[in-house]
Amino acid sequence: MEIGIDSFASAMYGTNMLSSVDAMEQLLERIVHADQAGLDVFGIGEHHRKEFLDSATAVILAAAAARTSRIRLTSAVTVLSAADPVRIFQQFATLDLISKGRAEMVVGRGSSVEAYPLFGFDLNDYDALFREKLGLLLQIRDNEFVTWSGRFRPPIPNLPVYPRPLQEKMPVWLGVGGTPESFARAGSLGLPLMVAIIGGNTSRFRPLVDRYREAGARAGFSPEQLKVGLHSPGYVAETGERAVSEYYPGYAELWTKLGRERGWPPVTRASFDHLIGPQGVLLVGSPEQVAEKLMRHSESLGGIDRFTFQMDNAGLTHEQLMRSIELIGEKIIPFT
């Protein structure tokens, strides 16, 4: 199992706001640290909000590529519906050249929808935009010359798209939440699946993952081609007690704030305790606790190929995040 981290390039540590320059430099230090600690992948999300600095994902990843040597670098996720697939491909192909073949992308419709009005798209076209643009992106990835026409973009009349990446087939993962059609779509296209599970019990997603695998099998793809990744919030400290005491205050603050925006109930300590329990989604605890829970999650989903921690949206300091990266590399990766 590959183990990594996803970041939204947060500039917030609890109630303290870092300067954007300091927050970006610390993020790059964490990516370098993850590379040195033996983690497999580091992902950067995409948002267009004041508290996050990840609106230009490929730029951050390119800066990280110049400082690292082995860790794979990916988006997490690229909001493809509100982007031009030609430019997205060019950016990540360039990243692939800078990183010498370590670029990937996770594409999705986006759960944060601020990109749609910002770039002039209608939320009523939420899924239609994604379907069309995903098809174009995959055509560009697989063909140097592209002939294409669609509803939301001017046609491409047998034109080449450059640069081409170093990898013959740069990985494109499909990022999904809980929509059954999205799981089936990923399977029918034979794309690796990245499932973002941020609440409840992880095991409830098993029927959806099964649907992905069944759709892939019907389309003629082998089980080895149908990779499943899992993205969830988590944090590792030396002891379970320390992990909870450091993680809970910032987590409760952030997710209560998000709840006011999205109609979720506020976080309580009782609800948090359920989420860090045996079946809950949060991987918060000692290395031993987190490693064991990660294996349970994998078993409950029929096996997973990649897991990425989302750690830097819970008010944790740079020093705490660096220490957690060390523990993941030293004590969790060998176990998995």
Side-chain angles (χ1 to χ4, degrees), residues 160-192:
V161 179
Y162 299 122
R164 306 306 298 178
L166 178 62
Q167 297 177 88
E168 182 178 351
K169 196 165 187 174
M170 186 167 55
V172 175
W173 296 64
L174 192 61
V176 298
T179 306
E181 292 75 17
S182 296
F183 286 79
R185 174 160 48 209
S188 65
L189 294 171
L191 296 177

Side-chain angles (χ1 to χ4, degrees), residues 24-136:
M24 191 65 72
E25 179 58 29
Q26 290 182 4
L27 171 60
L28 292 172
E29 288 177 8
R30 292 196 294 274
I31 301 175
V32 171
H33 197 48
D35 183 50
Q36 295 169 343
L39 275 67
D40 298 292
V41 61
F42 206 107
I44 301 293
E46 180 191 338
H47 298 81
H48 303 270
R49 302 167 61 105
K50 182 178 181 179
E51 63 267 33
F52 302 130
L53 302 174
D54 59 350
S55 62
T57 305
V59 177
I60 300 174
L61 294 173
R67 300 188 185 193
T68 56
S69 61
R70 54 165 300 280
I71 197 166
R72 297 193 67 79
L73 301 167
T74 184
S75 59
V77 303
T78 295
V79 185
L80 186 61
S81 303
D84 181 358
V86 175
R87 294 298 286 157
I88 291 296
F89 178 83
Q90 290 173 325
Q91 291 166 10
F92 278 84
T94 302
L95 171 64
D96 202 51
L97 298 176
I98 295 170
S99 66
K100 298 181 174 63
R102 293 183 283 131
E104 300 185 4
M105 64 179 87
V106 181
V107 300
R109 296 176 298 183
S111 60
S112 297
V113 296
E114 65 274 359
Y116 289 80
L118 182 63
F119 296 108
F121 294 103
D122 190 338
L123 271 173
N124 291 323
D125 297 323
Y126 185 72
D127 191 61
L129 281 162
F130 183 71
R131 287 198 312 270
E132 179 174 298
K133 293 187 176 189
L134 178 61
L136 175 55

